[in-house]
Structures are given as structure tokens and as C-alpha cells.
């Protein structure tokens, strides 16, 4: 089945220790997105890639970076996680900008 | 400033009855609306969408209604089933949403369908 896969599902890291979250898709979609969702809040877009073009949201902290080495994979790097970065991180894809977005299962990040 | 609002954080409905989830928006440039369902510890699952050129879209037990003049949309689930218990997010996008036509999400409504 075509899908959006996120690994790991649960990630624990220590304060200040870099962490990388992974997303892969078999949908061959052009656009990949990373969202942060904290409890009882709406998902918040961090950035997106349209093919190899990276687009950062204006209020995304510098602590968050992303890489898309090929169409299928996209990574979220958190350089120095703080306690406030504990959240669910959601990856999504869409065929093109403005099309329906399909989400992965998310990675729950805990920062100790 | 919340551009997409779901004013009911929770809703309980008896199995077999209709569930009506509501969503209001303020940005008149929004032209595409979606509903997502989210189970605990999972990502949102796309449910149904509607373009602003329509006022109704139906898919099985799910119907979305759009009232552009009132800037209001609603999701009807009939009949409701216990497996429908989840958080439902309303989302919207439009030409003013930036280069990504990014989705603006509401804060969600927890639907509980009682057996």
C-alpha cells in the first residue's frame, strides 16, 4: 500500500542532544511537509519541500532543520532540543501544492 | 488570531444517531476545506474535502456542507459508529495561504460515540 512512513514512532532524547526524525513516502508526491503538534493544539507547519526547494515558515526556530536527499525521504533535524520541543512531529505529503495532504503516523518526541 | 475555529472541544453522540461537527473560518480567501480524523498516537487521516465552488460533498456516511456566506462548514456522520470516536480537525487553505497553500487547522473536536 502506498503510504507515508515515519521512524521512529517514539523518540526519547536528552536536553541539548541532537536528534533526527525520518519520513519516507511511496506516493511519489512532489511536496513533503513537517508539522509540530503539541497536546490539544492544531498541527503547526514548520517547513515544506517542493521537490528540492526548501521553504521555511517565518516563525520556525533555527533549531529546526530539514533535509530531503531524494523524492522519497525527508528528515527533520533538531540541533539542540529543549524541553519545549517535546511534541508529536507529523510528516505529510501532497502531489502538488494545494492538493490534499496525507499524513504519516507521527513521531512522539520526549526530551529529558 | 485563529482563522479556523472549532468551538466545541468535545461532542458525545449515541451510536446510530447523527454526529454534526462544526467549523467556522474568518479568511474569505480560503477556497478548499478538509476534514481529518485523528486517533490517539496516530497521524491525522484524510476524511473528506470540499472546494468553495460546491456547497455539499458526500462520501458514504460522511457529508460535508459549506456555507460560504456564513463562513461555516460542518461534517455530518450518519449513522455514527463507536469506531468513529476520534478527534476531528477541520482545515482550510487558499490563495492567501502562502506558497505552500498551507493548511490552517482548527483546534479539533473530540467525538465520542457511545454504544
Amino acid at each position: 500500500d502506498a503510504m507515508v512512513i515515519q521512524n521512529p514512532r517514539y523518540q526519547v532524547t536528552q536536553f541539548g542532544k541532537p536528534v533526527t526524525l525520518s519520513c519516507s513516502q511511496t506516493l511519489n508526491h512532489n511536496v513533503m511537509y513537517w508539522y509540530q503538534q503539541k497536546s490539544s493544539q492544531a498541527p503547526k507547519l514548520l517547513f515544506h519541500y517542493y521537490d528540492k526547494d526548501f521553504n521555511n515558515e517565518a516563525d520556525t526556530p533555527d533549531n529546526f532543520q530539514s533535509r530531503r536527499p531524494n523524492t522519497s525521504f525527508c528528515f527533520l533535524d533538531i540541533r539542540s532540543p529543549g524541553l519545549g520541543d517535546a511534541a508529536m512531529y507529523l510528516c505529510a505529503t501532497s502531489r502538488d501544492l494545494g492538493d490534499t495532504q496525507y499524513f504519516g503516523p507521527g513521531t512522539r518526541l520526549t526530551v529529558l | 488570531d485563529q482563522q479556523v475555529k472549532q468551538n466545541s472541544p468535545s461532542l458525545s453522540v449515541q451510536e446510530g444517531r447523527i454526529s454534526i461537527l462544526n467549523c467556522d473560518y474568518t479568511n474569505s480567501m480560503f477556497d478548499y476545506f478538509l476534514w481529518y480524523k485523528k486517533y490517539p498516537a496516530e497521524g491525522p487521516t484524510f476524511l473528506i474535502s470540499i472546494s468553495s465552488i460546491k456547497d455539499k460533498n458526500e462520501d458514504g456516511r460522511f457529508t460535508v456542507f459549506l456555507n460560504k456566506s456564513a463562513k461555516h462548514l460542518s461534517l455530518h456522520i450518519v449513522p455514527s459508529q463507536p469506531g468513529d470516536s476520534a478527534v476531528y480537525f477541520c482545515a482550510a487553505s487558499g490563495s492567501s495561504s502562502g506558497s505552500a497553500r498551507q493548511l490552517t487547522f482548527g483546534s479539533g473536536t473530540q467525538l465520542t460515540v457511545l454504544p
Side-chain angles (χ1 to χ4, degrees):
Chain A
D1 283 348
M3 58 176 60
V4 181
I5 303 160
Q6 289 188 245
N7 286 305
R9 295 292 310 276
Y10 300 91
Q11 176 74 57
V12 180
T13 191
Q14 290 181 320
F15 182 93
K17 186 173 180 182
V19 67
T20 294
L21 309 182
S22 167
C23 177
S24 64
Q25 53 130 343
T26 60
L27 297 158
N28 205 31
H29 282 176
N30 289 315
V31 194
M32 295 186 77
Y33 309 81
W34 279 103
Y35 288 84
Q36 179 192 65
Q37 185 181 22
K38 297 188 177 179
S39 294
S40 306
Q41 295 183 20
K44 178 181 179 299
L45 182 65
L46 295 173
F47 25 59
H48 77 275
Y49 271 95
Y50 182 86
D51 195 14
K52 295 180 182 178
D53 267 347
F54 176 70
N55 295 271
N56 201 28
E57 293 303 303
D59 56 355
T60 298
D62 292 340
N63 199 22
F64 293 86
Q65 304 287 322
S66 186
R67 295 170 284 135
R68 190 179 185 186
N70 54 53
T71 303
S72 301
F73 284 87
C74 194
F75 299 99
L76 170 62
D77 300 307
I78 309 177
R79 292 193 296 190
S80 182
L83 298 178
D85 297 328
M88 173 76 87
Y89 289 88
L90 297 164
C91 174
T93 74
S94 65
R95 185 173 53 84
D96 208 335
L97 293 173
D99 287 342
T100 300
Q101 293 182 26
Y102 295 90
F103 286 81
T107 295
R108 169 72 64 188
L109 178 68
T110 301
V111 182
L112 301 176
Chain B
D1 175 32
Q2 268 190 295
Q3 297 188 64
V4 177
K5 298 178 186 178
Q6 293 177 256
N7 291 318
S8 299
S10 64
L11 173 69
S12 291
V13 170
Q14 208 68 38
E15 181 178 5
R17 306 293 291 267
I18 185 171
S19 295
I20 300 176
L21 298 118
N22 293 303
C23 179
D24 297 294
Y25 61 96
T26 57
N27 189 336
S28 56
M29 301 299 288
F30 286 148
D31 58 14
Y32 187 57
F33 305 88
L34 309 91
W35 284 95
Y36 286 86
K37 178 169 78 170
K38 185 180 184 303
Y39 293 118
E42 292 186 15
T45 302
F46 170 69
L47 204 53
I48 193 168
S49 63
I50 188 167
S51 162
S52 61
I53 62 172
K54 293 186 172 182
D55 53 21
K56 176 183 173 181
N57 189 25
E58 193 171 351
D59 183 3
R61 296 186 297 115
F62 303 92
T63 303
V64 56
F65 294 92
L66 176 63
N67 183 335
K68 288 186 289 293
S69 60
K71 294 191 177 67
H72 177 84
L73 66 156
S74 60
L75 174 68
H76 292 210
I77 307 172
V78 55
S80 301
Q81 299 172 355
D84 296 330
S85 298
V87 177
Y88 288 78
F89 288 97
C90 167
S93 71
S95 56
S96 66
S97 303
S99 63
R101 286 184 57 94
Q102 66 168 280
L103 293 179
T104 300
F105 283 88
S107 53
T109 297
Q110 170 70 57
L111 173 66
T112 302
V113 179
L114 305 167

